[in-house]
Each structure stands twice: as structure tokens, then as C-alpha cells.
Amino acid sequence: MGTDLHALLRSLRVWAPETTTLSPFDPATAPAEPLPLFTEWLARAVAAGQPEPHTMSLATSDEAGHPDVRTVMLHGADTTGWTFATHLTSRKGRHLTARPYAALGFYWPALGRQVRVRGPVTAAPSQEGQADLHARSTGALAAALTGHQSEPLGSLEELAEASETAWTEAQSRPDAPVPTWTLYRLAPEEVEFFQGDAQRRHVRLAYRRRGEGWTSTLLWP
């Protein structure tokens, strides 16, 4: 007998006390800019034991405006923007070439927190992307060298063969270039912080860029 999807969904809980700590968030104490608050929240997610807190949903759209989303890794964040990387020829790379605007979503259920970011995206200079890649693990370089991201795959055997070749090269040449590997930088125009509340009085604080500075406002849950 198959699984009853609706019954399964209704059996699940959100923010169970044994796995989630809903910390109070007073927006009156929030900094004037979003980056320090993001850094603090990420550090707290790490301290709370949140698995892979540096992963995020990346939403892009194709030439026709059709959206797509996937989970990727945050490579960095500073005053110039939030960075992530992929092949220029991948689906998301093609999307960003056609429509250089994206949204990011972080979810840390251990704390009942979300952060949403959106803004225009630019590709960093090639040397910056290569330096970022070569600072990562051998596995990351091997995956990049395997290439063909988002292209149709004939068989798992074909993947295994290409991956084995890429691993050999990554181990023997840790500085091997991958021309299509690109570091992207999202310059935030909007950043929203969401703190869950057990009584559903969720706190939402939205920052919006205004010229060289930021304004912030509370949003209804």
C-alpha cells in the first residue's frame, strides 16, 4: 500500500520544542544595515547545531520569466553583496545571463528563522572565480572539472567515468583552471529577517536599500 501523502503531512510538526528554540527578536535592537544582523543570525544557527546553515535556496528565472529554484552554498557576504558560484553554462548560469536578478532564501529551523535576500546579480572577474574555486576542497574542484552541469546524461556509468578522470586531475593539479566556473555576486536591494513565534506572532523586519543607506520596516506575519 502506498503512503497517504495528506495523512503524512498532517502528522508533521513545525518547530517542535525538542528540536527548535524560538528566541525572542526585538527589531528595535537591530543594526542600521542588514549584513551585521545576517552575520549574527548565521553564527547563532551554527552554534545551535543547524545542519548546513550556509546553504540557501537560489531563485532565478529564464528568458520567458519562468522561475526556478535550487539549493546552493553561500560563498561569502560583505558590503558588496552575497556570493555563490556555478558554471556559466549551467541552467542557473544561463538564467543569470538572460535575467541578472535573483533571490536567496535561508531557513534555519533550529531557531525558527528565515532570511530572504533579493537584488541584481553580476559575475565577478574570472580570476576571482578561479581563486574562490581553488580555495575549496578537492571534491569541489573535481565536480567543477567534471563539467556538463544541467546537460542531459546518458548513464550513471558515463558520469562515473568522467568523475574519476576529474578527480585524478584535481588531485594532481589543484590549480587546474575551469574556464566556465563563475563567482556571482548578488547586490541586495531587499533583505528580510523572519523570527518564528509559538503563538504565530512572527516578527518580520524588512530592510530596503535607499541610495547609499538602508531603511527598515516591520511587516505583518
Side-chain angles (χ1 to χ4, degrees):
M1 180 180 294
T3 299
D4 184 330
L5 177 60
H6 295 290
L8 176 61
L9 289 172
R10 285 172 175 76
S11 72
L12 301 176
R13 296 188 62 187
V14 176
W15 305 332
E18 59 269 23
T19 58
T20 299
T21 300
L22 297 176
S23 302
F25 169 48
D26 181 2
T29 65
E33 298 183 353
L35 183 59
L37 185 56
F38 174 81
T39 303
E40 177 189 341
W41 277 29
L42 177 61
R44 292 192 176 220
V46 173
Q50 174 64 56
E52 301 181 359
H54 58 318
T55 59
M56 60 189 182
S57 297
L58 166 66
T60 59
S61 57
D62 63 16
E63 293 182 353
H66 299 148
D68 205 348
V69 67
R70 74 288 286 166
T71 301
V72 299
M73 183 186 300
L74 177 69
H75 284 216
D78 56 27
T79 56
T80 65
W82 273 251
T83 55
F84 57 93
T86 187
H87 288 282
L88 180 67
T89 51
S90 69
R91 177 178 293 181
K92 49 189 173 295
R94 297 195 303 270
H95 285 187
L96 291 170
T97 297
R99 289 176 174 259
Y101 200 93
L104 310 175
F106 297 85
Y107 178 46
W108 301 313
L111 298 171
R113 286 179 169 176
Q114 299 181 54
V115 179
R116 299 165 61 203
V117 187
R118 66 177 181 173
V121 178
T122 56
S126 177
Q127 61 269 26
E128 189 175 340
Q130 296 300 300
D132 175 80
L133 175 61
H134 295 135
R136 299 176 67 200
S137 66
T138 301
L141 177 58
L145 286 166
T146 301
H148 304 290
Q149 191 175 46
S150 302
E151 297 178 15
L153 173 65
S155 68
L156 294 181
E157 290 74 20
E158 182 182 351
L159 171 61
E161 182 178 344
S163 176
E164 184 175 347
T165 299
W167 270 93
T168 299
E169 183 174 5
Q171 291 167 334
S172 62
R173 290 207 305 150
D175 59 347
V178 184
T180 59
W181 190 254
T182 304
L183 186 70
Y184 290 95
R185 180 170 286 108
L186 186 154
E189 293 180 336
E190 299 181 22
V191 184
E192 180 190 325
F193 294 83
F194 172 103
Q195 173 62 68
D197 177 81
Q199 281 73 47
R200 300 303 191 263
R201 300 167 187 164
H202 313 312
V203 179
R204 294 176 63 188
L205 178 65
Y207 289 83
R208 290 182 174 84
R209 186 178 288 280
R210 293 291 184 267
E212 296 300 316
W214 294 88
T215 61
S216 62
T217 185
L218 290 172
L219 301 176
W220 282 85

